[in-house]
């Protein structure tokens, strides 16, 4: 038997038990040695929807598309209720927590600046307005 | 004609042109007045996969499940390449930026504490340059 890697059907065609042609849209992104990648996206999105999305984007965007679909699919399989939306909520919580911590630290810093400069006899140095200029587009 | 809201088929059954029974798994989560919610999840995941996922989770988890699926689907329709994974990357970048800013602010605070306690009133303390080190990578 002389079958080589290049003659192997891609993971998608193997999974779907169909012939893998040279123009197979899945082949470049679903190599036979990663069967779970296709199984996951197939389970969550369906092969037909994945194929539709791949045909909708530009060829150079297909790898990123497949990777983001595989990421979402894996997250949904691990957490059927929230999928990767659970990560988004977690990150948003972390961001809010960090922003609060930063605000508190900046408030301490301002306090130090006011106390430090007045006791140094240098008069009032006003940087305070800069500290609060956080972009308002942090929270979504 | 005496059809009332409660007799209307849900958005899913209307979309799929089928009879909406009392035990329809979609009906509680896809009201007829939100046709896009179902159209989106159907386009991205397929009605059959959505139904499978809903049957896989506990009844009290179904609303959250549908909402997270609808969120993912909308994100994928808006951005076919990255979908909501694009949000995750953006949030991670923001988080890193904020963490760097917090580290820098904490370093300033330590500097102040050391200088303030050891040389209060003894000379010029230059901390002004640190205050303006806002990361430039906040905006995506």
């Amino acid at each position: 038997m002389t079958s080589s890697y290049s003659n192997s059907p891609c993971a998608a065609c193997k999974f779907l038990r169909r012939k893998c042609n040279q123009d197979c849209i899945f082949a470049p992104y679903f190599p036979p040695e990663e069967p779970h990648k296709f199984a996951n996206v197939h389970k969550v999105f369906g092969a037909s929807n994945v194929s539709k999305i791949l045909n909708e984007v530009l060829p150079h965007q297909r790898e990123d598309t497949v990777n983001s679909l595989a990421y979402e699919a894996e997250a949904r399989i691990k957490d059927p209720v929230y999928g990767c939306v659970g990560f988004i909520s977690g990150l948003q919580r972390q961001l809010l927590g960090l922003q609060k911590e930063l605000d508190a630290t900046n408030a301490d810093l301002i306090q130090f600046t006011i106390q430090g400069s007045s006791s140094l006899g240098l008069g009032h140095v006003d940087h305070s307005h800069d500290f609060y200029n956080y972009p308002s587009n942090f929270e979504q």
Side-chain angles (χ1 to χ4, degrees), chain A residues 108-126:
Chain A
D108 287 347
L109 204 51
I110 292 166
Q111 197 75 8
F112 261 102
T113 314
I114 295 166
Q115 288 176 345
S117 58
S118 64
S119 57
L120 285 168
L122 299 175
H124 178 63
V125 182
D126 182 22

Side-chain angles (χ1 to χ4, degrees), chain A residues 20-42:
Chain A
C20 192
N21 298 316
Q22 276 210 320
D23 59 350
C24 170
I25 190 135
F26 297 122
Y29 318 106
F30 295 103
E33 64 273 24
E34 291 183 67
H36 275 87
K37 192 177 176 186
F38 183 77
N40 287 352
V41 299
H42 176 63

Side-chain angles (χ1 to χ4, degrees), chain A residues 3 5-6 24 26 33 40 44 65 94 127 135:
Chain A
S3 75
Y5 166 72
S6 60
C24 170
F26 297 122
E33 64 273 24
N40 287 352
V44 173
T65 305
Q94 280 184 50
H127 330 275

Side-chain angles (χ1 to χ4, degrees), chain A residues 96-114:
Chain A
L96 278 176
L98 218 53
Q99 184 63 57
K100 273 187 189 170
E101 203 179 331
L102 186 61
D103 289 347
T105 311
N106 273 321
D108 287 347
L109 204 51
I110 292 166
Q111 197 75 8
F112 261 102
T113 314
I114 295 166

Side-chain angles (χ1 to χ4, degrees), chain A residues 54-86:
Chain A
L54 287 181
N55 278 308
E56 204 179 313
V57 303
L58 296 169
H60 75 272
Q61 297 175 313
R62 286 181 186 154
E63 191 167 354
D64 281 355
T65 305
V66 164
N67 289 338
S68 72
L69 287 168
Y71 183 88
E72 273 188 63
E74 200 183 333
R76 181 64 61 181
I77 288 165
K78 283 186 183 161
D79 179 356
V81 179
Y82 296 103
C84 73
V85 180

